[in-house]
Amino acid sequence: MDVKIEEQWKEVLKEEFEKDYFKNLVEYLHREKREGKVIYPPGPLIFNAFKLTPFNEVKVVIIGQDPYHAPGQAHGLSFSVPAGVPPPPSLKTIYQEIENDLHIKLHKNGNLEGWARQGVFLLNASLTVRAGAPTSHSNIGWIEFTDAVIKAISDRKQGVVFLLWGNYAKGKRSLIDQSKHYVLEAAHPSPLARGAFFGCRHFSRCNQLLEAQGLTPIDWSL
């Protein structure tokens, strides 16, 4: 199956694209489109995280659960929204922790493409969602695919920093070889967690782990 995805990722994931579950997933999405269902993000942005962060450039992985299901928000990067769209509540919490952790003042919108271009792979466990219906595509094959993505990073790379926020992301811990990667865990940045995310200092800790390997730290202000 010829999937329109960045070439490095295409090579790494080529076996997944030939499996029955992935073919069924594609057919499910086509069927929903034929039935007039609105799906987010738009087709060209489903693999946006892969486009902006090629496999060889992955240094950090942030795992989200589901794309935003309201109009104009989802653009293929976990926690991110397009420029001009106000940051959603969880992203506001993330920004506040960055300010507290790094003692900087952020003046930015909710677009995290600047992170992605530095090697922060912003992966949602489900890459699509039906408009207005959270987790509506969580059982159509995406989880199997993105679990394979996480395992490929774990198997083929070294020293990647995985940021697991909330119980759902923490559930991916078993896919990661912690003998050669770093796993930082925290509460979810959602307001429902009542501020438990604050104080995790993941942004400074992540950069310390990258610098210890001789890698360029992430400029979280971009």
Side-chain angles (χ1 to χ4, degrees), residues 45-65:
L45 296 178
I46 290 174
F47 293 108
N48 198 25
F50 299 79
K51 172 188 172 185
L52 294 174
T53 314
F55 182 79
N56 292 349
E57 296 177 20
V58 174
K59 298 193 292 189
V60 181
V61 178
I62 299 178
I63 299 172
Q65 185 170 356

Side-chain angles (χ1 to χ4, degrees), residues 111-129:
N111 191 327
L112 303 182
E113 289 184 8
W115 295 5
R117 295 184 192 281
Q118 296 178 76
V120 181
F121 186 48
L122 297 163
L123 178 68
N124 276 318
S126 294
L127 297 189
T128 60
V129 68

Side-chain angles (χ1 to χ4, degrees), residues 30-125:
H30 286 328
R31 186 165 62 250
E32 288 224 319
K33 293 287 280 186
R34 288 195 300 270
E35 293 172 356
K37 305 278 188 5
V38 176
I39 295 172
Y40 299 133
L45 296 178
I46 290 174
F47 293 108
N48 198 25
F50 299 79
K51 172 188 172 185
L52 294 174
T53 314
F55 182 79
N56 292 349
E57 296 177 20
V58 174
K59 298 193 292 189
V60 181
V61 178
I62 299 178
I63 299 172
Q65 185 170 356
D66 214 31
Y68 297 117
H69 55 86
Q73 288 188 312
H75 68 139
L77 305 177
S78 62
F79 295 100
S80 179
V81 290
V85 176
S90 291
L91 187 52
K92 287 182 179 179
T93 299
I94 292 168
Y95 285 173
Q96 185 61 58
E97 176 61 19
I98 292 173
E99 292 185 1
N100 295 344
D101 183 14
L102 302 177
H103 308 293
I104 58 176
K105 185 66 178 173
L106 297 180
H107 298 281
K108 61 181 297 185
N109 55 42
N111 191 327
L112 303 182
E113 289 184 8
W115 295 5
R117 295 184 192 281
Q118 296 178 76
V120 181
F121 186 48
L122 297 163
L123 178 68
N124 276 318

Side-chain angles (χ1 to χ4, degrees), residues 130-202:
R130 195 181 309 126
T135 72
S136 52
H137 287 176
S138 62
N139 294 317
I140 68 171
W142 279 131
I143 306 300
E144 187 170 349
F145 176 72
T146 54
D147 280 357
V149 170
I150 295 167
K151 194 163 188 318
I153 295 171
S154 177
D155 290 348
R156 299 189 184 211
K157 296 183 73 72
Q158 183 90 23
V160 174
V161 183
F162 290 83
L163 305 183
L164 307 184
W165 299 337
N167 290 335
Y168 186 86
K170 292 175 187 177
K172 305 298 182 181
R173 186 191 309 113
S174 61
L175 301 171
I176 303 163
D177 183 349
Q178 295 185 58
S179 71
K180 61 174 185 169
H181 299 288
Y182 304 97
V183 174
L184 301 181
E185 297 184 352
H188 197 278
S190 166
L192 297 176
R194 300 173 188 244
F197 183 75
F198 292 129
C200 69
R201 304 194 65 228
H202 275 190

